[in-house]
Amino acid sequence: FYLAGAALQRQDDNVLAHYAGTGEMRRIMNVPADEKFELSPRRKLARDAPDAVFHSPYGPIAFEYDTGVYLLKNVQSKFESFVQQDYLRTIWGTANHNRVPTIEKIMREEEGLKGQVILSEWWRALPSP
C-alpha cells in the first residue's frame, strides 16, 4: 500500500485491505468521494457497523468489503444487523469471484435486505478509457 498519511501507517493490514476494497467499491458504484461517503473510523472491524456508509438522497446505503475470511454465519449476522439498522441497501464487495454466488444466496434469503454483491479487486489495473 502507498499510505499518504502517517496515521494510516499504524493501521492493521486487514483494515488497510478493507479501506482499499471499500474505495474500489465506491469507484465501481460511481459514488463521489465527498462528505456523503463516510468510511468507518473504527480501528477494529465491528460486526454491526459497515465499512462505509453512503448517505444518498434516498437514505443510507451500507458498504461492506469482504476479504474472503468472514465465516458465512458472520456474513448472515452482518446482513441481519444492517436490516435492523434500516439501511436502504447493502452493497457487499468481495475480491473472491467464487464467493459472489454464495453471498448472493445468503443476501436473497435475508428477509428485508435489498442490495447487491460486486467483485471488488482493488489491486487490478483500471480499465482503459
Side-chain angles (χ1 to χ4, degrees), residues 24 27-28 120-129:
E24 177 65 0
R27 188 194 67 78
I28 290 168
S120 178
E121 297 176 315
W122 52 266
W123 61 89
R124 300 260 186 224
L126 292 175
S128 300

Side-chain angles (χ1 to χ4, degrees), residues 47-108:
R47 179 191 87 81
D48 59 349
D51 293 319
V53 176
F54 171 50
H55 300 281
S56 82
Y58 308 102
I61 298 173
F63 277 66
E64 183 69 24
Y65 182 71
D66 177 357
T67 59
V69 297
Y70 288 142
L71 298 174
L72 295 180
K73 68 178 185 174
N74 292 355
V75 172
Q76 184 176 12
S77 178
K78 281 185 167 282
F79 284 153
E80 289 171 2
S81 176
F82 296 166
V83 168
Q84 292 170 0
Q85 294 177 65
D86 291 325
Y87 285 106
L88 181 66
R89 295 179 59 81
T90 296
I91 308 299
W92 190 278
T94 182
N96 182 339
H97 66 32
N98 293 325
R99 199 164 164 87
V100 171
T102 304
I103 303 299
E104 287 175 334
K105 181 179 183 293
I106 296 170
M107 187 175 267
R108 282 192 304 273

Side-chain angles (χ1 to χ4, degrees), residues 102-119:
T102 304
I103 303 299
E104 287 175 334
K105 181 179 183 293
I106 296 170
M107 187 175 267
R108 282 192 304 273
E109 293 172 352
E110 183 59 42
E111 187 175 331
L113 182 70
K114 295 180 182 138
Q116 72 185 88
V117 182
I118 61 175
L119 191 60

Side-chain angles (χ1 to χ4, degrees), residues 10-50:
R10 292 184 287 279
Q11 292 288 349
D12 177 84
D13 290 347
N14 193 36
V15 172
L16 293 174
H18 271 80
Y19 285 164
T22 304
E24 177 65 0
M25 292 171 62
R26 183 197 56 74
R27 188 194 67 78
I28 290 168
M29 298 301 294
N30 202 28
V31 172
D34 61 18
E35 68 279 351
K36 292 179 185 148
F37 188 78
E38 179 182 11
L39 278 172
S40 175
R42 69 190 188 273
R43 292 193 189 280
K44 297 276 186 187
L45 302 174
R47 179 191 87 81
D48 59 349

